[in-house]
Amino acid sequence: MTCIFVAGMHRSGTSCLTGIMQNMGIELGEVFTENKHNKKGNRENARITKTNDILLRLAGGSWNNPTQVREWNDAARTERDSIIADIKGDMTEFWGFKDPRALFSLEFWLEAEPDMKFIGTYRHPYKTALSLQVRDNTPIDKGMQIWKAYNSKLLEALETHQFDLVDFDMPQKDYLDDAIAKLIKLGVNRDKANAARSFFDASLRNQTDVPIEHIKLPSDVIDIYAALNSYFDAHKVN
């Protein structure tokens, strides 16, 4: 079985992309299908997020103050391998997972799945920060710094592993066409494209109509966002 990791920041379309992926037949194991702030669920496996939280905490970080995970012990390896075995137990061609925290513990997961495939997602920094503020009262400035931390790691992963990226801010049809085409490029079943489209619910994509023209982003955030846009433009699927 081939693993596909959905790489991206919180509140940037990772849940939507993972749900689309699941509807195309990729096994996720037991995931949340409904949450308070996501009516279709964040599609995260609780054991994976708990493992990543522990690794971040041991490295001196947290989900909203992330730091690179460089060390792990045998207990973490045992839990990781058990999680993967449980998901693979359903024996589909692909299995996958989504947890933004895994951008900081990627080497830990690659140790078990060295042939892992990737697909990434990103969103405008202000819309992401605003979504964090609505969800848990994160100040906008803090949200921007969280965006910077995660998307810096996303850029590093893109440069190292050269995978496709989707823009969550695209119009609905364009977004779905692009995301599905890039999943098919990974080898996912194209016959389930219609099922994949049915997962998307425009009413759940918050901050869509928020005006951003007047927003002044920090210069370092602008640079990262510009780099992501440039990468996206350079890797369009024809």
Side-chain angles (χ1 to χ4, degrees):
M1 293 176 69
T2 301
C3 175
I4 299 178
F5 168 51
V6 176
M9 159 73 180
H10 303 270
R11 316 305 291 174
S12 297
T14 53
S15 302
C16 183
L17 183 56
T18 306
I20 289 169
M21 199 166 77
Q22 187 177 30
N23 276 21
M24 294 183 79
I26 296 173
E27 180 60 48
L28 304 178
E30 184 176 349
V31 296
F32 293 106
T33 57
E34 185 175 357
N35 302 90
K36 179 180 178 181
H37 296 283
N38 194 330
K39 297 305 180 184
K40 286 198 170 185
N42 60 19
R43 304 286 151 166
E44 291 178 0
N45 181 299
R47 292 174 68 191
I48 290 176
T49 58
K50 181 180 179 181
T51 299
N52 284 323
D53 272 332
I54 291 170
L55 292 172
L56 280 172
R57 185 168 66 250
L58 291 174
S62 62
W63 79 266
N64 59 358
N65 186 30
T67 188
Q68 181 65 41
V69 172
R70 302 187 187 281
E71 298 179 356
W72 46 89
N73 57 27
D74 287 340
R77 289 188 179 93
T78 298
E79 174 64 1
R80 176 198 64 200
D81 295 346
S82 172
I83 293 167
I84 294 172
D86 285 351
I87 298 174
K88 284 184 174 182
D90 289 322
M91 293 302 293
T92 60
E93 183 179 358
F94 292 95
W95 76 276
F97 73 101
K98 164 251 172 172
D99 179 12
R101 302 164 187 81
L103 281 167
F104 295 89
S105 60
L106 189 53
E107 294 304 317
F108 169 76
W109 295 99
L110 283 168
E111 181 182 78
E113 292 288 329
D115 297 323
M116 181 186 295
K117 295 185 178 182
F118 302 75
I119 186 166
T121 178
Y122 74 112
R123 194 176 198 193
H124 189 278
Y126 180 73
K127 290 182 179 181
T128 306
L130 185 59
S131 187
L132 284 175
Q133 184 183 64
V134 170
R135 188 185 72 176
D136 50 28
N137 296 316
T138 301
I140 292 294
D141 288 349
K142 173 63 174 176
M144 291 282 191
Q145 290 308 304
I146 299 172
W147 185 97
K148 174 188 170 183
Y150 278 86
N151 286 282
S152 294
K153 294 302 294 182
L154 177 59
L155 268 179
E156 287 181 21
L158 287 165
E159 291 166 359
T160 300
H161 300 284
Q162 292 293 305
F163 53 93
D164 282 321
L165 185 66
V166 297
D167 178 357
F168 193 52
D169 289 324
M170 294 175 74
Q172 177 176 335
K173 183 180 183 303
D174 295 339
Y175 168 77
L176 286 169
D177 287 348
D178 190 55
I180 291 169
K182 287 171 178 175
L183 286 167
I184 289 171
K185 183 179 170 184
L186 288 176
V188 179
N189 189 352
R190 67 173 62 245
D191 294 337
K192 295 187 176 182
N194 287 336
R197 290 178 187 278
S198 71
F199 182 83
F200 186 93
D201 185 340
S203 69
L204 300 182
R205 183 163 63 171
N206 300 317
Q207 287 76 50
T208 302
D209 298 323
V210 171
I212 56 175
E213 295 78 12
H214 68 291
I215 299 298
K216 292 184 177 179
L217 300 173
S219 59
D220 50 358
V221 169
I222 290 174
D223 290 344
I224 296 167
Y225 186 54
L228 290 169
N229 282 326
S230 178
Y231 186 97
F232 173 79
D233 289 340
H235 292 79
K236 290 182 177 178
V237 175
N238 296 323

